[in-house]
Amino acid sequence: MLIHSSSQLLTLAGGPQRGRTLGTLGVIEKGAVVVRDEKIIAVGTTDELKNAYPDEPAIDAGGCVMMPGFVDPHTHLIWAGDRANEFEMKMSGMEYLDILAAGGGIISTVKATRTASIETLIAQTRPRILRMFSHGTTTAEAKTGYGLQTATELRLLKALLALDDESPLDLSITFLGAHAIAPEFKDNPQGYTDEVVNTMLPMLKEWWQANAPRLPLPFVDVFCETGAFNLEQSRQVLNKAKELDFPLKIHADEFDNLGGASLAAELGAASADHLVRTSDADILALGKSDTVAVALPCTPFGLAEKDYTPAKKLIEANAILALATDCNPGTSCNESMQFAIALACRYMKLTPAQAIAAATINSAHAIRRADTIGSIEVGKQADMLILSVTDYRQIGYRYGTNLVKQVIKRGMVYSVDIGYYRSA
Ligand code: NIG
Ligand code: FE
């Protein structure tokens, strides 16, 4: 299949973009791509590839921008129920951490999730995946974490594996048993930490090897935060996970600076995420490491807070910056990477080119898949978007509506732009 006549083909070629290299789009004017068997086999100008592949079945991109599919490297995709009532409470002046301390927040979703069957969980998560996909996300990370007890956490993993199988979007799964202190351990956070370390993680390893033997091990993540896991407890969780060969992630500095980002860098975690209250020392540690700094601008927006990830400082420190939605029922009920980009431009002062790179090649690196996705290069998986714009700077500039026209996932073409049809 030859997809030709884009206005601009954004290749994002050349690997993850560290520090000031962020925003290298690798634009080919009037670019084209040849795809066979799920993979990209040629990239060039429309003239070049039409000459080289005269008999290839063709799709006309119609003078639109083509780019790699978005990679969303931080979502809490699977839960039951919703928290619209808490949104109303927050808008009436209550604080997120106070709602959590009062047994609401994450814990209220945990209650709804524990009582939901696997069928219910799958049925409630499926439309979120389809919204993500139709907004251009071709691969998403997905965390457990609304179970906080072995049986429910395993049910979430099972549901995520089934959803990964059935949907066109690829999922990268993360175990977040350390998302909050389980209600049974309300007054004994160390007791729950010990439960995660001594029981859940070893069981996870066994379960994964029996149930998903062909997949690499999932990430293990921890919410390092006041009211959740302190720095020492976060270290205990991640140390044990590392000992068991799990790749690592961390939630750090969403509300308070506890030092989680430096811990992530020290342990070689794939990413440290949120990073709103991150200290200068933590920023320097990230800049010297291969740990991707994942900013989640939909979260301060969702919480109506004024502070965002200090992207400029991270870039100056030579960090690898990525963007994600943080899709979850509490702080960021949103599936669109386009919206994350629009916010990152305005509140983190990224240019559209920087935000696009952070949402593709760098976010692929945050889930350690930059060797197969995140850019349009020969040999990579054919995950691409045709957008209904002619210039890449429209991405970020425009917001609140969907710019995706077609999603190409593993070489299959899905039309998204339904337009408006009046029946005869
Ligand atoms: O990334 N910080 C922890 N986890 C989510 C919030 C989860 C929730 O409120 O349900 C986050 O913001
Ligand atoms: Fe999160």
Side-chain angles (χ1 to χ4, degrees), residues 240-261:
K240 180 68 176 198
K242 191 172 174 163
E243 197 184 300
L244 294 170
D245 296 325
F246 291 107
L248 311 178
K249 286 182 170 281
I250 194 167
H251 280 67
D253 310 326
E254 181 175 3
F255 301 103
D256 288 321
N257 178 232
L258 304 191

Side-chain angles (χ1 to χ4, degrees), residues 28 31 54 61 69 82 107 135 140 170 173 183 267 295 347 376 381 408 415:
I28 300 178
D82 72 62
I107 300 303
H135 285 79
D170 284 318
I173 297 174
L267 297 180
Y347 295 109
I376 298 179
Q381 204 167 290
I408 296 127
S415 282

Side-chain angles (χ1 to χ4, degrees), residues 74-76 143 176 179 221 251 254 273-274 296 299 326 328 331:
H74 183 137
T75 85
H76 303 255
K143 303 177 196 296
L176 182 56
H179 191 196
D221 193 348
H251 280 67
E254 181 175 3
D273 304 32
H274 283 289
L296 312 168
T299 305
D326 196 21
N328 76 73
T331 62

Side-chain angles (χ1 to χ4, degrees), residues 333-357:
C333 211
N334 157 59
E335 293 97 349
S336 170
M337 286 295 282
Q338 294 171 64
F339 186 57
I341 287 172
L343 293 176
C345 291
R346 286 164 186 77
Y347 295 109
M348 292 163 48
K349 304 283 182 257
L350 296 187
T351 63
Q354 289 175 321
I356 290 166

Side-chain angles (χ1 to χ4, degrees), residues 39-94:
K39 293 233 168 88
I40 296 165
I41 65 153
V43 181
T45 65
T46 294
D47 287 347
E48 280 164 7
L49 295 194
K50 274 188 172 173
N51 281 331
Y53 297 87
D55 302 322
E56 198 75 16
I59 291 185
D60 189 338
C64 292
V65 168
M66 274 180 73
M67 64 172 290
F70 295 119
V71 178
D72 187 345
H74 183 137
T75 85
H76 303 255
L77 192 58
I78 187 159
W79 71 84
D82 72 62
R83 306 228 296 274
N85 60 327
E86 290 185 7
F87 175 64
E88 187 177 56
M89 285 157 78
K90 276 197 296 256
M91 291 308 103
S92 312
M94 248 181 115

Side-chain angles (χ1 to χ4, degrees), residues 129-402:
I129 291 183
L130 294 178
R131 273 193 292 273
M132 280 184 165
F133 189 68
S134 58
H135 285 79
T137 298
T138 46
T139 302
E141 184 258 15
K143 303 177 196 296
T144 68
Y146 292 112
L148 309 184
Q149 60 185 185
T150 306
T152 312
E153 287 290 316
L154 293 182
R155 189 154 79 247
L156 295 173
L157 286 173
K158 214 167 159 185
L160 287 172
L161 288 171
L163 286 160
D164 184 29
D165 261 359
E166 72 162 46
S167 45
L169 191 147
D170 284 318
L171 295 179
S172 162
I173 297 174
T174 295
F175 177 77
L176 182 56
H179 191 196
I181 304 302
E184 293 75 14
F185 291 85
K186 192 175 181 307
D187 302 313
N188 181 14
Q190 187 57 47
Y192 184 62
T193 309
D194 293 343
E195 172 80 8
V196 172
V197 169
N198 299 327
T199 309
M200 287 178 156
L201 290 179
M203 195 173 295
L204 170 68
K205 177 123 183 206
E206 237 173 73
W207 186 92
W208 192 271
Q209 285 169 339
N211 289 273
R214 274 181 300 279
L215 295 180
L217 286 175
F219 291 97
V220 168
D221 193 348
V222 58
F223 187 18
C224 180
E225 189 60 62
T226 307
F229 298 82
N230 66 27
L231 186 64
E232 180 47 33
Q233 291 159 343
S234 301
R235 180 185 284 279
Q236 291 163 9
V237 170
L238 295 182
N239 267 343
K240 180 68 176 198
K242 191 172 174 163
E243 197 184 300
L244 294 170
D245 296 325
F246 291 107
L248 311 178
K249 286 182 170 281
I250 194 167
H251 280 67
D253 310 326
E254 181 175 3
F255 301 103
D256 288 321
N257 178 232
L258 304 191
S262 291
L263 175 64
E266 178 195 326
L267 297 180
S271 72
D273 304 32
H274 283 289
L275 308 176
V276 175
R277 307 260 176 251
T278 309
S279 70
D280 289 349
D282 287 328
I283 289 174
L284 282 182
L286 286 174
K288 291 201 189 91
S289 76
D290 195 35
T291 299
V292 178
V294 179
L296 312 168
C298 303
T299 305
F301 181 83
L303 293 167
E305 285 181 2
K306 67 175 200 324
D307 293 331
Y308 285 74
T309 301
K312 288 264 182 274
K313 281 187 172 182
L314 284 158
I315 290 169
E316 287 312 309
N318 210 27
I320 307 167
L321 184 72
L323 286 173
T325 61
D326 196 21
C327 179
N328 76 73
T331 62
S332 174
C333 211
N334 157 59
E335 293 97 349
S336 170
M337 286 295 282
Q338 294 171 64
F339 186 57
I341 287 172
L343 293 176
C345 291
R346 286 164 186 77
Y347 295 109
M348 292 163 48
K349 304 283 182 257
L350 296 187
T351 63
Q354 289 175 321
I356 290 166
T360 52
I361 187 65
N362 281 11
S363 50
H365 192 48
I367 54 168
R368 294 296 187 249
R369 291 197 188 187
D371 52 339
T372 54
I373 56 172
S375 63
I376 298 179
E377 290 177 89
V378 170
K380 279 201 163 176
Q381 204 167 290
D383 291 4
M384 298 177 287
L385 308 175
I386 299 177
L387 303 175
S388 55
V389 299
T390 54
D391 184 310
Y392 73 84
R393 289 167 299 189
Q394 302 255 353
I395 304 164
Y397 165 60
R398 292 171 59 176
Y399 57 91
T401 49
N402 190 7

